[in-house]
């Protein structure tokens, strides 16, 4: 994991140097090569570019596009971009149970190069999934883990013991305040300063998170 963290830090430092030297391109990024499920629209590329700049600046954010504008695809596009740039690590996506299948199918459609694991099931099934995650950590393999709010609370110890490269919270309007149980769990998961965080919502939302968030709305 230290190798992955070092790559992320080096990537950010290099981009900061380019910005300071005036050599960083501010043009809209091109669609990542590994994103093969279709052609993104300009505003979706703009969303990916905005999230890329958040990552470069070491900031967290909230993507608050209206429903149906492709927030899922934009997030997949961001991860495709970072992976192609050689900056990659374990990703945790926390979403409502009803959307887990959609997240998995969209990754497989748009970016099959990224491995996705759906973390859900019976106690025994989840035990096997945790063993698989631990083995991948030892081998420095990284994939996207998609799980539900309920699983995060039920198996919080398993998620907190892993250092996450990026954490995404889908339908963030469910996070009402800093005191809710899910929020407390998520704070323990993002214990590393190198863990980037992103909230997705299609509903107007006011919530205080530390460190400060940057938001984009459409």
């Amino acid at each position: 994991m230290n190798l992955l963290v070092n790559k992320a830090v080096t990537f950010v430092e290099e981009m900061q140097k380019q910005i300071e030297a005036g050599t960083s391109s501010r043009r809209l990024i091109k669609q990542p090569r590994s994103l093969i499920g279709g052609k993104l629209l300009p505003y979706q590329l703009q969303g990916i570019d905005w999230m890329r700049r958040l990552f470069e600046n070491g900031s967290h954010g909230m993507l608050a596009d209206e429903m149906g504008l492709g927030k899922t695809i934009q997030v997949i596009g961001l991860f495709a971009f970072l992976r192609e740039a050689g900056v990659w690590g374990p990703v945790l996506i926390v979403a409502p149970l009803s959307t887990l299948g959609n997240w998995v199918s969209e990754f497989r459609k748009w970016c099959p190069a990224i491995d996705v694991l759906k973390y859900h099931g019976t106690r025994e099934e989840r035990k096997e999934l945790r063993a698989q995650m631990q083995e991948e950590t030892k081998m420095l393999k990284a994939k996207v883990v998609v799980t539900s709010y309920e699983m995060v609370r039920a198996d919080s110890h398993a998620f907190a013991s892993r250092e996450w490269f990026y954490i995404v919270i889908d339908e963030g309007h469910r996070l009402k305040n800093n005191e809710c149980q899910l929020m407390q769990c998520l704070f323990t998961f993002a214990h590393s300063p190198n863990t980037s965080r992103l909230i997705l919502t299609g509903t107007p939302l006011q919530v205080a998170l530390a460190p400060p968030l940057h938001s984009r709305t459409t």
Side-chain angles (χ1 to χ4, degrees):
M1 176 54 64
N2 289 335
L3 178 61
L4 296 172
V5 170
N6 290 338
K7 282 187 176 182
V9 172
T10 301
F11 177 80
V12 171
E13 290 177 347
E14 180 61 29
M15 294 305 300
Q16 290 287 7
K17 289 179 182 179
Q18 292 181 23
I19 292 172
E20 293 171 2
T23 59
S24 177
S25 173
R26 308 306 295 174
R27 294 179 299 175
L28 201 61
I29 65 170
K30 294 181 180 180
Q31 180 166 327
R33 295 185 300 275
S34 58
L35 207 65
I36 61 174
K39 185 175 181 180
L40 296 183
L41 298 172
Y43 79 86
Q44 293 172 325
L45 289 173
Q46 183 182 44
I48 295 173
D49 193 46
W50 174 78
M51 290 185 286
R52 171 190 65 86
R53 285 183 276 119
L54 279 184
F55 179 84
E56 292 171 4
N57 293 328
S59 300
H60 311 297
M62 180 187 303
L63 181 61
D65 283 0
E66 295 178 5
M67 298 292 289
L69 293 183
K71 293 186 291 295
T72 300
I73 305 307
Q74 292 178 56
V75 170
I76 295 173
L78 169 69
F79 293 146
F81 172 84
L82 293 177
R83 186 174 177 274
E84 290 178 14
V87 187
W88 192 231
V91 172
L92 176 63
I93 297 177
V94 184
L97 175 59
S98 60
T99 69
L100 299 189
N102 181 66
W103 272 102
V104 173
S105 63
E106 290 292 79
F107 263 103
R108 290 175 177 169
K109 172 186 175 181
W110 285 89
C111 194
I114 294 179
D115 292 329
V116 184
L117 172 69
K118 179 181 176 182
Y119 186 94
H120 200 274
T122 65
R123 182 175 299 180
E124 288 302 315
E125 288 171 340
R126 300 200 313 271
K127 183 178 180 180
E128 293 179 5
L129 291 173
R130 289 195 296 273
Q132 181 180 337
M133 290 166 56
Q134 291 174 356
E135 184 63 26
E136 289 167 351
T137 299
K138 292 178 183 178
M139 298 176 65
L140 290 181
K141 290 185 177 181
K143 65 171 53 178
V144 173
V145 176
V146 180
T147 192
S148 67
Y149 301 141
E150 294 77 15
M151 292 296 98
V152 162
R153 290 190 290 265
D155 295 340
S156 59
H157 61 286
F159 294 107
S161 63
R162 198 177 198 197
E163 185 173 345
W164 298 98
F165 168 69
Y166 214 113
I167 295 179
V168 177
I169 310 300
D170 194 10
E171 295 197 18
H173 51 274
R174 298 193 180 197
L175 306 180
K176 300 301 182 182
N177 55 62
N178 287 344
E179 303 304 321
C180 73
Q181 187 179 7
L182 178 59
M183 182 70 79
Q184 293 301 318
C185 287
L186 294 174
F187 278 143
T188 64
F189 302 163
H191 51 77
S192 170
N194 297 304
T195 300
S196 297
R197 282 166 275 176
L198 180 71
I199 291 178
L200 307 180
T201 181
T203 301
L205 174 68
Q206 289 184 344
V207 61
L209 290 178
L213 291 169
H214 297 268
S215 64
R216 172 183 179 270
T217 59
T218 298

